[in-house]
Amino acid sequence: MAVPPHRPLEPAAPRPGGGEQLFVVACNRCGESGGTAFAGKSVILDPWGEPLWEAGGDETLGGAVLDLEKVKSFREGFPASTGRAPDLY
C-alpha cells in the first residue's frame, strides 16, 4: 500500500528567504521507499522567496545563478538587520 507523498518543502519553503534576507536551496527526496512515497519538489528561492528553479516529483538535476547583488539590494530596501547588536552575542 502506497502512502500519499510527503510534502515537507511545500509548507516550509514558500517564501522563507525574505525574513533572513538570503537565498534558500531546499532539496527533497523523491520516489518511494518502504511503502512511503516522497514528493521531491526541491527548490531554489531568491531573497524575496521567488523560485529561481523548481524540481518536479522525479529525480533530476538543476541549478540557478545566485546573484549576490540581489541580496545587497534587498537588504538596502528592507533593512531588517539595522537593529542587530552582534557585539552582544
Side-chain angles (χ1 to χ4, degrees):
M1 177 175 136
V3 176
H6 288 289
R7 298 180 185 274
L9 295 181
E10 290 183 26
R15 321 301 179 236
E20 299 299 325
Q21 304 176 357
L22 47 81
F23 289 92
V24 173
V25 179
C27 57
N28 194 23
R29 184 176 177 178
C30 66
E32 187 175 329
S33 177
T36 301
F38 297 91
K41 304 289 186 177
S42 297
V43 65
I44 300 174
L45 303 172
D46 73 8
W48 290 271
E50 296 299 319
L52 298 174
W53 177 82
E54 295 178 278
D58 297 320
E59 186 174 339
T60 187
L61 294 175
V65 175
L66 306 183
D67 182 356
L68 299 182
E69 286 299 314
K70 276 188 156 185
V71 175
K72 183 178 177 183
S73 171
F74 182 87
R75 289 177 178 166
E76 288 170 355
F78 183 72
S81 62
T82 56
R84 292 184 63 230
D87 53 313
L88 298 177
Y89 44 86

